[in-house]
Amino acid sequence: MRVPLMMMLGLGPTVARLKLRRCEAVGATPTVWGRVWIHGGGEIQIGDRVLFDARMAPIELHAQRGGRIVIEDDVTIEGGSSIEAQSLVTLGARSRLGMWCKLMDNMYHPVRGNRHERPRSVPLVVEEGVTVGSRSILLPGAHLQKGANVASGTVISRRIPPGVTVGGSPARVLRREVAR
């Protein structure tokens, strides 16, 4: 893996803080490789040792006015991922988002009926130690419990139990963790 020049010069955390300056709170030693786009008038909180690896494609964080994005400690987010919050999106400690993931707490229009009417937002929660595969989509109301794994290309709109691996569209359980 190539180490960016800023990291070799010891400027990594300083440059990362500069790139994350529109966030409400940024923890100790953040790392930003590439571009992170921050939009909206909402609140974004970033924990300690969070890694944004956007070398392949920019990462987008969009918290609308009144919305919150909370990214806890030791989270890794890969390029092309997008997180959108009108109410609340939470990423638990030691979680990992693969490339091109989409997380949103509002569908922005109903599937049936008046498409100009905006539905209510439902918080999206990713608990600690969850791994989300590339090109996965987490919809409003998704709740991935501790240690869950999501296969690439999975669409999730409901609660996923702890320690299981899910895949498909819609998501179905592929494997359960065996208690030891």
Side-chain angles (χ1 to χ4, degrees):
M1 176 170 82
R2 273 185 45 222
V3 178
L5 177 63
M6 291 297 161
M7 296 299 285
M8 289 190 296
L9 297 175
L11 299 174
T14 304
V15 172
R17 287 190 179 282
L18 182 64
K19 290 181 179 184
L20 300 172
R21 67 187 174 274
R22 295 194 56 210
C23 296
E24 190 77 23
V26 178
T29 60
T31 303
V32 177
W33 295 340
R35 296 173 66 187
V36 176
W37 296 339
I38 299 173
H39 306 285
E43 182 178 312
I44 300 173
Q45 298 175 347
I46 298 176
D48 298 338
R49 298 169 306 280
V50 173
L51 169 62
F52 294 95
D53 186 357
R55 291 176 288 184
M56 298 294 286
I59 294 170
E60 181 179 21
L61 304 176
H62 187 172
Q64 292 189 0
R65 188 171 312 283
R68 283 183 38 207
I69 297 173
V70 178
I71 302 172
E72 295 180 359
D73 301 341
D74 302 308
V75 171
T76 299
I77 300 175
E78 294 183 18
S81 292
S82 173
I83 302 173
E84 299 180 25
Q86 279 193 346
S87 66
L88 176 65
V89 174
T90 304
L91 283 173
R94 294 176 306 285
S95 294
R96 181 180 185 88
L97 282 184
M99 291 190 70
W100 305 107
C101 288
K102 177 85 167 169
L103 283 69
M104 56 187 172
D105 69 353
N106 193 305
M107 295 292 283
Y108 300 100
H109 61 80
V111 176
R112 294 185 190 93
N114 183 0
R115 294 181 60 83
H116 299 288
E117 187 177 292
R118 184 165 283 182
R120 67 180 182 84
S121 295
V122 181
L124 187 151
V125 178
V126 176
E127 291 185 6
E128 70 179 73
V130 172
T131 301
V132 179
S134 300
R135 298 189 184 273
S136 294
I137 301 171
L138 305 184
L139 297 172
H143 185 148
L144 281 70
Q145 293 182 312
K146 185 176 180 177
N149 289 304
V150 177
S152 296
T154 302
V155 178
I156 298 177
S157 62
R158 60 185 168 84
R159 181 178 297 268
I160 302 298
V164 300
T165 300
V166 295
S169 177
R172 68 182 198 289
V173 174
L174 300 176
R175 178 178 33 213
R176 295 189 185 277
E177 184 177 286
V178 177
R180 294 178 192 241

